[in-house]
């Protein structure tokens, strides 16, 4: 495998507390050297890439992605999903088990791992279900799933309502040293809610999904993490109360953690009422980086690309999520990339499936809302995409230490670009951010020492 020397970039490796303008030398698929002696170690025939003005960091990890295999390949495949991830700067993704059939047995885990190795262009880690068929009634074979190679268990898309069953799942997970990831939704409180319960749901006449529907399960998970000692990770947090609960529990040393997605800390429920309502108020306070181009981006009310689960919430909730990210309460950033076909989304709001794609926009939106607004230093943002998810899931990833796999992301934090629908590498196009001017973009994505995507190569049509 070719040797590659990246010279003159801002190398940020939070796992080693490194933030310096220096060089990175990669050979045989591993990180060989970082620092001033990297150039000395590189043989004369090594490929050299000048990355001055760019950030070089451990390959980004997204621990919450729906790749839709097996069974839903009209929405996404391992090939298209990993291509979208590479384009977004990601070298590893963790896929969710709510496929058809669900990933609730060792055979399906083996199938996905084998297919991902053949068809994926980046690393794919697999999660297994908590309950058989994600039905919440009977535990999945957690030990068998672990032996088959899952990195966590989750019923994402669903939520185990039976607290005793969840307790048993946590006890098994702890025995097998697996984190439990949970989509926090109390079915009795949420019923068939389709958007945040508040002013806009009343105005629009849509059924509400109250914040308490999430907070109740976050509180349940804190108690069960405390009771069982299992690591519980609360997925895609959207509500202010969830952040407060997590903050308090972490202070007491409870093994609980959380993640947030860019749509929840960028948009609000006003977006469901259409662009004029959003830009008039909540959109105005987005951030100072927001250009006039974004303000002219229009969409109608009831646009189903603003329907997700949990839903977009109030400006107060959005602020609380940002605060939670800034003070370290929420350690992980992810997309909840959830592709759906056009024909599925092009229906009345009530009937559309929840979710949006996100792999190609999450780095930019996170930079815009957290780093460009000076809420979070750049190394802290990179930690939420690298070392933090790697530690949570015990992945040997997320660092530029010598000897580590040469998964590296090179990005330009200041590049301004417009996300175009025609340009997405995902098989689906359900995304609310088309036409938005974004700031920050991946330039080169390297997996195991191999360049799997680069802006330059994409600019030249094959
Ligand atoms: Zn979910």
């Amino acid at each position: 495998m070719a040797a590659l020397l990246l010279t003159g970039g801002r190398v940020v490796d939070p796992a080693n507390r490194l933030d310096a303008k220096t060089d990175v030398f990669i050979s045989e698929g591993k990180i060989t050297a970082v620092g001033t002696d990297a150039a000395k170690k590189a043989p004369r025939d090594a490929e050299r890439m000048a990355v001055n003005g760019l950030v070089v960091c451990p390959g980004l990890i997204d621990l919450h992605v729906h790749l839709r295999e097996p069974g839903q390949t009209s929405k996404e495949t391992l090939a298209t999903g990993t291509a979208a991830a590479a384009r977004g700067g990601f070298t590893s993704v963790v896929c969710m088990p709510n496929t058809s059939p669900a990933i609730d047995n060792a055979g399906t885990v083996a199938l996905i791992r084998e297919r991902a190795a053949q068809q994926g262009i980046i690393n794919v880690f697999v999660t297994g279900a908590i309950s058989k068929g994600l039905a919440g009634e009977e535990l999945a074979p957690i030990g068998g799933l672990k032996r088959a190679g899952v990195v966590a268990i989750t019923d994402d898309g669903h939520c185990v309502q039976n607290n005793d069953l969840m307790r048993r799942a946590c006890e098994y997970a702890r025995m097998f040293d697996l984190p439990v990831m949970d989509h926090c939704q109390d079915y009795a409180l949420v019923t068939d809610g389709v958007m945040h319960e508040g002013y806009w749901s009343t105005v629009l006449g849509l059924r509400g999904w109250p914040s308490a529907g999430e907070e109740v399960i976050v509180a349940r998970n804190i108690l069960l993490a405390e009771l069982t000692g299992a690591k519980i990770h609360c997925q895609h947090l959207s509500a202010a109360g969830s952040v407060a609960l997590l903050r308090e529990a972490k202070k007491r040393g409870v093994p609980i953690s959380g993640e947030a997605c860019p749509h929840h800390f960028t948009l609000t429920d006003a977006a469901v009422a259409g662009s004029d309502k959003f830009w008039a108020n909540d959109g105005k306070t987005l951030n100072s980086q927001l250009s006039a181009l974004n303000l002219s981006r229009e969409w109608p009310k009831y646009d189903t690309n603003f329907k997700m689960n949990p839903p977009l919430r109030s400006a107060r909730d959005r602020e609380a999520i940002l605060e939670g990210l800034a003070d370290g309460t929420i350690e992980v950033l992810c997309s909840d990339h959830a592709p759906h076909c056009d024909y599925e989304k092009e229906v009345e709001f009530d009937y559309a499936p929840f979710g949006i794609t996100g792999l190609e926009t999450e780095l930019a939106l996170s930079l815009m809302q957290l780093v460009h607004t000076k809420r979070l230093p750049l190394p802290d943002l990179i930690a939420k995409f690298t070392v933090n998810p790697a530690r949570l899931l015990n992945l040997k990833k997320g660092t530029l230490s010598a000897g580590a796999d040469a998964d590296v992301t090179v990005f330009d934090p200041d590049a301004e670009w417009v996300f175009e629908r025609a340009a997405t590498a995902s098989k689906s196009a359900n995304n609310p951010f088309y036409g938005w001017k974004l700031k920050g973009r991946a330039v080169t994505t390297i997996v195991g020492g191999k360049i799997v995507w680069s802006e330059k190569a994409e600019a030249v049509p094959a």
Side-chain angles (χ1 to χ4, degrees), residues 202-226:
T202 308
V203 169
L204 295 168
L206 292 172
R207 287 188 295 272
W209 192 140
S211 295
E214 173 179 288
E215 293 152 359
V216 158
I217 298 292
V218 171
R220 182 272 303 261
N221 289 345
I222 289 167
L223 296 170
L224 290 182
E226 223 169 355

Side-chain angles (χ1 to χ4, degrees), residues 190 214 273 312 373 410 428 461:
V190 173
E214 173 179 288
L312 299 173
T373 50
V410 180
S428 290

Side-chain angles (χ1 to χ4, degrees), residues 171-240:
E171 286 169 347
Y172 277 107
R174 190 177 170 218
M175 268 176 359
F176 296 109
D177 194 24
L178 278 175
V180 180
M181 309 208 290
D182 197 23
H183 166 119
C184 304
Q185 176 177 350
D186 183 276
Y187 292 173
L189 278 169
V190 173
T191 62
D192 47 3
V194 294
M195 76 172 290
H196 174 59
E197 182 179 295
Y199 173 77
W200 288 111
S201 65
T202 308
V203 169
L204 295 168
L206 292 172
R207 287 188 295 272
W209 192 140
S211 295
E214 173 179 288
E215 293 152 359
V216 158
I217 298 292
V218 171
R220 182 272 303 261
N221 289 345
I222 289 167
L223 296 170
L224 290 182
E226 223 169 355
L227 177 67
T228 64
K231 278 202 263 181
I232 306 184
H233 177 74
C234 299
Q235 298 178 285
H236 44 48
L237 294 175
S238 65

